[in-house]
Amino acid sequence: MKAIRYYEYGGPEVLRYDQDVSEPALARDALLIEAEATSVNPHDWKARSGALRAHFPIEFPHIPGFDVSGIVRAVGKDVQSFRIGDRVLAMAKATYAELVVTAAATVARLPEGLDPADAAALPTVVLTGDQLINSELKVTAGQTVLVTGALGSVGRAAIHAANTAGARVIAGVRGRQLGEAAALQVAGSVAIDDADEIATLGKIDAVADMIGRDLAPSLLALVRPGGHYGYASRIPDGTAERFPDVSVSRVFGTPNADTLYRFAEDFRDGRFSLPISARMPLHDAGEAHARLAAGGGGKIVLTMR
């Protein structure tokens, strides 16, 4: 099969389009998916660069990727819920490839009428955003939640999850993005690069932070005692210890077929919006990594054909 692999850490140029890669082995509880598309996430290029090697070591050669949409080509002996030919999408591993194997329990059916290439943009970001809101922050109806990085893919998913939970959502964006944020389905927006504006929020129930880093302390200071701060990036060492009355946790998105299917339906029906900036062939993965690392907006989808 054809796949993107890299054999060492480095820039986008280390990504190789290998055309004779061994097919993955099918386990008893798994599906073999003939991929139609995958998508690029920030983790992909950060891992490739070596920036994450301390926490996410890689064995070379490595096939990147966590998102896949496609058609079931083979079914493990213990799987009863899928048949060959079913259209599916999933959060998996090694998805920059024509064939992907993943546990059947983590796979969602592709909602009828949803473009498979568009669907490939969803798994990692929607599961991360939803789990941040529901698993880490445990948001409930009536609470006020600040979502930073609100115009990003995970931020948009977190907003949708919080709205679904009945929360009052405030979008945190940079001052120059306030106009764009006005189109989001939120109660209001705040410039997170303006300390005075952040202070106007007063105490809130929860923060879903996609930015982290040096912004984290000022956001934690907003959270009421007993409230929650969840983050999907990194925060400075020792930050959480400065706020003992706030529950602090980090989210790592994990597969969940039911949640993924629900988001896919909402995306198809226009209840959830996720901008897709480009579709590119798999062999252009290096260019896609370079674009994403440069800060281009929207998801980039890689198609197999």
Side-chain angles (χ1 to χ4, degrees):
M1 70 173 183
K2 300 179 179 66
I4 295 292
R5 296 195 292 185
Y6 56 97
Y7 297 73
E8 61 182 337
Y9 295 116
E13 69 280 355
V14 303
L15 296 178
R16 286 176 34 176
Y17 183 57
D18 290 342
Q19 302 191 49
D20 191 20
V21 180
S22 298
E23 293 188 9
L26 180 64
R28 299 178 65 95
D29 64 346
L31 302 176
L32 177 67
I33 300 171
E34 182 178 350
E36 295 185 72
T38 183
S39 73
V40 183
N41 294 292
H43 184 280
D44 300 351
W45 67 263
K46 292 176 182 177
R48 185 217 68 230
S49 74
L52 305 180
R53 71 178 77 186
H55 303 286
F56 300 98
I58 287 172
E59 292 186 11
F60 298 116
H62 178 69
I63 301 175
F66 294 97
D67 302 322
V68 64
S69 66
I71 301 170
V72 175
R73 176 168 164 176
V75 178
K77 292 181 179 180
D78 293 343
V79 177
Q80 302 295 324
S81 53
F82 290 94
R83 297 289 182 268
I84 293 172
D86 287 346
R87 288 187 174 272
V88 295
L89 69 158
M91 182 180 180
K93 294 181 179 179
T95 62
Y96 286 27
E98 291 182 318
L99 297 172
V100 174
V101 165
T102 193
T106 68
V107 176
R109 295 184 183 278
L110 185 75
E112 186 176 352
L114 178 57
D115 186 307
D118 288 345
L122 300 177
T124 297
V125 296
V126 303
L127 292 171
T128 302
D130 182 85
Q131 288 161 15
L132 182 55
I133 294 297
N134 290 307
S135 300
E136 303 301 327
L137 301 184
K138 298 176 174 60
V139 170
T140 58
Q143 290 187 325
T144 297
V145 182
L146 172 65
V147 177
T148 69
L151 290 169
S153 299
V154 178
R156 290 173 185 268
I159 288 172
H160 184 63
N163 280 334
T164 301
R168 175 178 177 268
V169 184
I170 300 170
V173 298
R174 302 192 185 281
R176 58 182 171 78
Q177 299 174 312
L178 285 171
E180 188 178 354
L184 297 171
Q185 292 183 326
V186 293
S189 303
V190 62
I192 54 174
D193 50 0
D194 185 330
D196 292 336
E197 196 164 332
I198 290 177
T200 64
L201 292 176
K203 291 295 183 180
I204 58 178
D205 298 295
V207 174
D209 186 13
M210 314 304 161
I211 298 174
R213 301 187 295 275
D214 294 339
L215 182 65
S218 62
L219 297 178
L220 270 157
L222 295 173
V223 182
R224 63 168 176 79
H228 297 267
Y229 168 89
Y231 61 104
S233 184
R234 298 183 66 183
I235 63 176
D237 292 343
T239 301
E241 289 74 12
R242 294 168 51 189
F243 300 89
D245 294 332
V246 176
S247 173
V248 178
S249 58
R250 185 177 185 181
V251 67
F252 296 94
T254 56
N256 185 297
D258 291 339
T259 298
L260 181 55
Y261 184 80
R262 173 169 51 82
F263 265 88
E265 281 195 312
D266 287 349
F267 180 74
R268 179 199 61 188
D269 296 339
R271 293 186 294 270
F272 169 60
S273 176
L274 185 71
I276 298 173
S277 63
R279 292 187 185 187
M280 305 172 67
L282 182 65
H283 59 72
D284 284 342
E287 181 183 345
H289 274 220
R291 285 194 194 183
L292 190 64
K299 290 279 291 182
I300 297 177
V301 169
L302 299 174
T303 59
M304 301 301 143
R305 298 171 182 82

